């Protein structure tokens, strides 16, 4: 093994370890891999950042922006409104949710489609008395299946198309993925609807009888009596004087109720504070201040709301700026104007002090804040609201305009009039000029960690190819398949890509496995198309873990799933997909070319 080979395998091994460890986000890990490959000479200095101008990176960003335009127009909300007719049967609910998200994910960002339908699925479950856990994992899986349908359905497809362009001169077209992808998506949909959802563990249902947050166990009325040593002091002075870990979420002064009172409000005798704290900390608070327990010691969730203040449940996204931080270090009250009322992880409300909880992706937060600004605050924080918002029906003109712009871009790519990156960027610009979104929404709609990952990993993937590393791995796969027919090597490539996608980002899996697929095809003197298609399918089928794809992570908290729950439905589904996809690939993309 040459020095370059040893270095590229060392860089990739360390990168995979860091991806799996999860200590740093995948965009940071990707940049570290790029820097390591550049410093060691595997990537030329003048080519280190060319990946950020790669057509695949531009196309992914344009798809995300165009998806936001479709959401803003209301066309997707109208389709989501049809789900109210699904009834109470779990089979019908699963089929309708999974079917709709699969269709939507074929033409827009699959995480965006899943995020839109997530609160709809929760509401469907609560209304029918079913556990959300039986709906949300199928919903996440359906969003992955939909990405198989078209070129723009998922970043791996876009990446594979550019690898084909570099290999044979022409990229895959808009609907070249459809013959195989449609068969795989349909088989996956039927499996989920008829069998798969029955394999998902039934977790605690946050219904009206058995809620996710039972905050009345932590909310207490505290009376400020005459003569109390802290009477007349401001809330800020009380906080500084007490060693207790507590949070004031409301104040009752005569007939006036204030939700989230100002820290400069003087606490006068006769007023009642709504305090969130456990029993031990509450005793310390009372001893430090001289305050007393109110007549109603335990109060309910409704006490947190007022005319302009409300509460909302939200899930922490994989790119949230809260990740790894506590409520105190993130300054939720000062920076965002919200109070943290509760945190649930894997469907269980955490009992530890809220100020000490470090947020993780998938955590469900119960937040109190200004009702009018909560949606914007959650978006800034990187959290996804779980409450079903009113449908944004939109004006018919906006719906027609968005569909016309997006449809024209798809048609231009399909007939070969424009490259996909040019067509979709044109669509994004047209949506801005048409008033479907503003410039701020353009930049917030782009998933920047994915963009960074792609821009950084594309040069690393090329280094794997230029050093001969991809060829060496391809030879190893061929030696394992022995004298068996080429279809066995194709199947091994698909399975290995599936496994890799379950533990690292699917775009990274596509970048690393595409050169290997090309190497296998070259060694066997076969067409590269079926091997590239196998990589595309495998990279999009991350069903075994919650870390393989953002959709899986986002449903983990609301569904109450454990890490090991995913393989129960995911493993048989990946087997179904492997059995269905290999014959379809060979039929539509012959090995001999």
């Amino acid at each position: 093994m040459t020095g370059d080979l040893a270095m590229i395998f060392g860089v990739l091994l360390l990168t995979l370890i860091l991806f799996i460890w999860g200590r740093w986000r995948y965009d940071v890990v990707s940049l570290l891999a790029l820097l390591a490959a550049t410093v060691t000479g595997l990537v030329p200095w003048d080519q280190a950042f060319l990946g950020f101008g790669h057509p695949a990176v531009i196309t992914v960003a344009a798809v995300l922006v165009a998806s936001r335009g479709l959401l803003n127009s209301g066309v997707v909300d109208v389709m989501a409104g049809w789900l109210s007719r699904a009834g109470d049967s779990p089979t019908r609910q699963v089929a309708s949710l999974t079917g709709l998200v699969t269709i939507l994910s074929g033409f827009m960002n699959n995480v965006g489609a899943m995020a839109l339908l997530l609160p709809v699925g929760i509401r469907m479950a609560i209304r029918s008395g079913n556990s959300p856990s039986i709906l949300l994992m199928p919903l996440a899986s359906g969003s992955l299946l939909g990405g198989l349908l078209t070129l723009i359905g998922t970043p791996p497809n876009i990446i594979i198309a550019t690898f084909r362009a570099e290999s044979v001169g022409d990229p895959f077209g808009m609907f070249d993925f459809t013959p195989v992808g449609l068969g795989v998506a349909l088989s996956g949909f039927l499996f989920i609807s008829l069998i798969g959802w029955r394999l998902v563990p039934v977790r605690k249902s946050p219904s009206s009888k058995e809620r996710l947050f039972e905050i009345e166990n932590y909310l207490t009325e505290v009376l400020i009596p005459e003569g109390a040593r802290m009477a007349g002091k401001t809330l800020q002075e009380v906080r500084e004087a007490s060693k207790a870990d507590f949070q004031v979420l409301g104040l009752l002064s005569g007939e006036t109720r204030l939700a989230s009172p100002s820290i400069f409000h003087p606490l006068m005798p006769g007023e009642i504070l709504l305090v969130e704290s456990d029993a031990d900390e509450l005793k310390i608070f009372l001893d430090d201040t001289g305050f007393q327990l109110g007549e109603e010691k335990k109060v309910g969730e409704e006490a947190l709301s007022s005319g302009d203040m409300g509460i909302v449940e939200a899930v922490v996204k994989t790119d949230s700026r809260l990740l790894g931080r506590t409520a105190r270090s993130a300054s939720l009250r000062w920076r965002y104007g919200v109070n943290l009322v509760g945190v649930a992880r894997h469907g269980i409300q955490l009992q530890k002090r809220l100020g000490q909880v470090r947020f993780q992706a998938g955590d469900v937060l119960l937040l109190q804040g200004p009702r009018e600004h909560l949606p914007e605050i959650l978006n800034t924080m990187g959290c996804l609201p779980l409450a079903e918002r009113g449908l944004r029906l939109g004006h018919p003109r906006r719906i027609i305009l968005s569909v016309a712009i997006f449809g024209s871009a798809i048609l231009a790519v399909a007939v070969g009039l424009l490259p996909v990156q040019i067509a979709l960027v044109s669509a994004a610009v047209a949506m801005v000029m048409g008033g479907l979104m503003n410039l701020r929404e353009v930049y917030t709609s782009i998933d920047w960690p994915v963009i960074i990952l792609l821009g950084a990993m594309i040069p690393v993937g090329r280094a794997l190819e230029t050093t001969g590393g991809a060829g060496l791995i391809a030879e190893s796969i061929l030696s394992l398949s022995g004298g068996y027919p080429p279809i066995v090597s194709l199947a091994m490539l698909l399975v290995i890509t599936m496994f890799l996608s379950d533990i690292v980002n699917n775009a990274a899996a596509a970048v690393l496995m595409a050169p290997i697929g090309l190497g296998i095809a070259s060694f066997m003197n076969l067409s590269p198309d079926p091997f590239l298609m196998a990589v595309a399918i495998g990279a999009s089928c991350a069903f075994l873990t919650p870390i393989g794809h953002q959709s899986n992570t986002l449903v983990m908290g609301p569904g109450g799933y454990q890490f090991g729950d995913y393989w129960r439905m995911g493993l048989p589904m990946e087997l179904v997909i492997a059995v269905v996809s290999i014959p379809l690939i060979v039929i539509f993309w012959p090995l001999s070319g």
Side-chain angles (χ1 to χ4, degrees):
M1 182 181 293
T2 66
D4 284 350
L5 276 175
M7 283 190 291
I8 189 62
F9 284 136
V11 169
L12 290 178
L13 178 61
L14 182 59
T15 302
L16 290 177
I17 291 173
L18 293 178
F19 273 139
I20 297 170
W21 184 27
R23 175 64 178 82
W24 295 293
R25 206 168 60 182
Y26 53 78
D27 51 337
V28 176
V29 174
S30 301
L31 283 174
L32 289 174
L34 174 61
L35 292 174
T38 304
V39 170
T40 55
L42 300 173
V43 175
W45 297 99
D46 58 348
Q47 298 179 19
F49 299 107
L50 292 183
F52 292 96
H54 194 276
V57 177
I58 305 301
T59 303
V60 169
V63 169
L64 295 172
V65 175
S67 297
R68 180 60 177 266
L70 290 173
L71 288 172
N72 285 357
S73 72
V75 60
V76 181
D77 296 81
V78 171
M79 299 176 70
W82 299 340
L83 295 176
S84 60
R85 307 171 187 172
D88 296 338
S89 166
T91 301
R92 293 181 61 184
Q93 290 181 344
V94 169
S96 59
L97 269 174
T98 306
L100 181 55
V101 78
T102 299
I103 294 171
L104 292 176
S105 297
F107 297 93
M108 61 180 293
N109 175 27
N110 47 17
V111 177
M114 199 282 303
L116 173 76
L117 296 180
L118 178 58
V120 178
I122 292 174
R123 182 57 54 192
M124 289 173 65
I126 292 176
R127 286 174 178 170
S128 61
N130 298 321
S131 171
S133 64
I134 65 176
L135 297 181
L136 299 189
M137 190 179 295
L139 176 65
S141 298
S143 71
L144 272 63
L145 291 173
L148 302 171
L149 297 176
T150 66
L151 170 65
I152 62 172
T154 184
N157 289 4
I158 299 170
I159 294 167
I160 294 302
T162 59
F163 269 98
R164 186 179 191 267
E166 295 170 1
S167 174
V168 302
D170 292 316
F172 283 122
M174 176 62 68
F175 297 105
D176 283 348
F177 293 88
T178 306
V180 177
L182 181 60
V184 174
L186 182 59
S187 63
F189 166 74
L190 292 175
F191 172 79
I192 292 172
S193 301
L194 300 177
I195 301 173
W197 70 267
R198 304 175 193 273
L199 305 176
V200 178
V202 178
R203 298 302 185 189
K204 180 178 179 180
S205 171
S207 63
S208 58
K209 295 182 179 179
E210 189 181 14
R211 291 171 298 164
L212 181 60
F213 292 102
E214 297 175 348
I215 60 176
E216 61 270 15
N217 293 329
Y218 305 94
L219 296 179
T220 309
E221 285 192 357
V222 173
L223 173 67
I224 304 172
E226 291 283 354
R229 55 180 171 274
M230 296 303 293
K233 303 292 185 181
T234 66
L235 185 57
Q236 176 66 16
E237 291 173 319
V238 170
R239 180 174 294 280
E240 293 174 350
S242 177
K243 303 182 183 66
D245 186 0
F246 70 95
Q247 190 169 199
V248 175
L249 300 178
L251 182 142
L252 182 62
S253 179
E255 298 299 321
T256 303
R257 181 180 291 275
L258 298 176
S260 188
S262 168
I263 60 172
F264 303 110
H265 178 87
L267 304 178
M268 306 306 296
E271 291 183 334
I272 296 176
L273 296 176
L274 182 60
V275 176
E276 181 188 37
S277 181
D278 61 29
D280 293 337
E281 296 297 320
L282 180 62
K283 184 179 185 304
I284 296 174
F285 174 69
L286 296 178
D287 291 341
D288 290 343
T289 60
F291 298 164
Q292 301 173 358
L293 290 178
E295 294 183 2
E296 294 188 24
K297 297 181 181 180
K298 299 297 181 183
V299 293
E301 189 174 302
E302 64 279 355
L304 301 181
S305 300
S306 65
D308 57 348
M309 297 294 291
I311 57 174
V312 65
E313 291 180 19
V315 61
V316 179
K317 297 170 62 177
T318 55
D319 59 349
S320 171
R321 58 183 62 186
L322 302 182
L323 293 178
R325 308 179 71 179
T326 64
R328 191 165 297 157
S329 65
S331 302
L332 293 186
R333 178 71 182 271
W334 303 106
R335 185 174 300 173
Y336 303 107
V338 296
N339 292 317
L340 178 65
V341 181
V343 180
R345 184 169 293 160
H346 303 164
I348 300 174
Q349 184 175 357
L350 299 185
Q351 305 298 320
K352 64 168 65 175
R353 299 176 184 176
L354 292 182
Q356 299 177 355
V357 175
R358 293 197 176 274
F359 301 123
Q360 299 178 8
D363 284 351
V364 179
L365 311 182
L366 186 64
L367 300 167
Q368 177 199 44
R371 196 185 307 272
E372 182 179 354
H373 300 295
L374 273 175
E376 182 178 354
I377 291 172
L378 293 179
N379 184 59
T380 303
M381 292 167 57
C383 295
L384 179 68
L386 296 183
E388 185 178 4
R389 57 183 171 81
L391 295 180
R392 198 184 314 182
L393 296 180
H395 192 281
R397 187 194 71 83
R398 290 169 60 87
I399 295 178
I400 295 173
L401 178 61
S402 66
V403 173
I405 292 173
F406 192 73
S408 297
I410 299 297
L411 182 62
V413 177
V415 301
L417 184 63
L418 291 173
V420 62
Q421 67 271 21
I422 301 299
L424 288 174
V425 169
S426 300
V429 172
M431 287 182 175
V432 173
M433 296 179 66
L436 295 174
M437 57 184 152
N438 56 44
L439 289 177
R440 181 180 180 182
E441 289 176 317
V442 169
Y443 291 104
T444 58
S445 65
I446 298 175
D447 191 347
W448 292 108
V450 171
I451 299 300
I452 298 297
L453 178 142
L454 286 174
M457 289 303 295
I458 285 173
V460 177
R462 284 177 176 162
L464 178 64
E465 190 173 8
T466 57
T467 58
L472 184 59
I473 297 175
E475 286 183 8
S476 300
I477 293 176
L478 289 174
S479 65
L480 289 175
S481 61
Y484 293 102
I487 195 172
V488 175
S489 299
L490 185 70
M492 289 182 62
L493 180 68
L494 173 69
V495 171
I496 292 172
T497 308
M498 274 185 174
F499 174 75
L500 185 61
S501 186
D502 282 318
I503 57 177
V504 303
N505 181 276
N506 60 355
V511 170
L512 295 176
M513 294 303 296
I516 297 171
L518 290 173
I520 295 175
S522 177
F523 277 119
M524 302 182 74
N525 197 26
L526 298 174
S527 170
D529 291 341
F531 295 92
L532 289 175
M533 195 61 62
V535 172
I537 298 295
S540 296
C541 294
F543 302 112
L544 297 186
T545 69
I547 62 175
H549 196 276
Q550 293 182 56
S551 292
N552 293 349
T553 306
L554 287 177
V555 300
M556 191 175 187
Y561 302 121
Q562 303 296 321
F563 193 97
D565 289 346
Y566 287 79
W567 68 268
R568 296 172 182 266
M569 185 182 79
L571 182 59
M573 185 156 67
E574 288 196 0
L575 291 174
V576 169
I577 289 173
V579 170
V580 171
S581 61
I582 294 299
L584 288 176
I585 291 173
V586 174
I587 291 172
F588 290 103
W589 302 97
L591 291 167
S592 61

